[in-house]
């Protein structure tokens, strides 16, 4: 199946389930085989709906884009909220390091923090 055909099938599934046509949702179908995409996408639809309900209802400590990077850095699917409570308990420095590592800035969390403090002439707080 071509990538265009896969895209159209995913688009139809999202449309039929009143889900947004966004990159995040389309990416959830990338992990499926062609056969799974055709006959087994209901698990993906359930995951997306569960995720959207969670994000809409919960007050997040960090923006969702940050949470997605931290989740992926921890080896989770970007929509897997199962460890969010643990993530909320992480030090901000660990959050920054995790986001940097996910974005291929491995080991640069402290450096970037120092730049921010120097440029903006502020002291970033360590507490949660």
């Amino acid at each position: 199946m071509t990538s265009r055909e896969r895209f159209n099938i995913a688009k139809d599934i999202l449309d039929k389930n009143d889900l947004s046509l966004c990159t995040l949702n389309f990416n959830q179908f990338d992990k499926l085989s062609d056969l799974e995409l055709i006959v087994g996408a209901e698990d993906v639809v359930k995951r997306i709906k569960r995720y959207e309900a969670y994000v809409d209802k919960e007050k997040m400590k960090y923006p969702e884009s940050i949470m997605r990077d931290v989740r992926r850095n921890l080896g989770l699917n970007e929509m897997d909220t199962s460890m969010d409570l643990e993530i909320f308990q992480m030090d901000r420095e660990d959050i920054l390091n995790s986001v940097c590592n996910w974005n291929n800035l491995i080991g640069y969390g402290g450096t970037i923090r120092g730049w921010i403090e120097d440029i903006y002439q502020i002291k970033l707080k360590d507490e949660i």
Side-chain angles (χ1 to χ4, degrees), residues 4 6 9 15 17 22 33 35 38 61 66-67 70 78-79 100 102 121 128:
R4 186 62 169 164
R6 288 182 60 84
I9 291 171
D15 280 339
N17 288 281
C22 64
S33 69
L35 181 60
I38 294 168
K61 182 174 181 180
I66 298 297
M67 293 298 294
V70 173
E78 61 194 333
M79 292 179 136
C100 287
W102 179 255
Q121 298 179 352
I128 295 176

Side-chain angles (χ1 to χ4, degrees), residues 52-61 81 84-85 88:
E52 287 184 354
Y54 172 82
V55 170
D56 287 343
K57 291 181 181 174
E58 297 294 324
K59 179 150 176 83
M60 305 297 285
K61 182 174 181 180
T81 60
D84 280 6
L85 293 177
F88 294 157

Side-chain angles (χ1 to χ4, degrees), residues 107-116:
Y108 278 89
T111 302
I112 292 170
R113 180 183 170 144
W115 292 339
I116 292 168

Side-chain angles (χ1 to χ4, degrees), residues 40-91:
E42 58 272 346
D43 287 341
V44 172
V45 169
K46 287 178 190 175
R47 183 181 331 125
I48 293 171
K49 286 183 177 183
R50 197 169 46 246
Y51 175 78
E52 287 184 354
Y54 172 82
V55 170
D56 287 343
K57 291 181 181 174
E58 297 294 324
K59 179 150 176 83
M60 305 297 285
K61 182 174 181 180
Y62 300 107
E64 188 54 27
S65 59
I66 298 297
M67 293 298 294
R68 287 195 302 261
D69 282 355
V70 173
R71 290 179 193 127
R72 288 183 290 200
N73 189 62
L74 294 173
L76 302 171
N77 177 289
E78 61 194 333
M79 292 179 136
D80 183 348
T81 60
S82 65
M83 289 188 59
D84 280 6
L85 293 177
E86 290 86 351
I87 293 170
F88 294 157
Q89 298 303 313
M90 291 170 64
D91 294 333

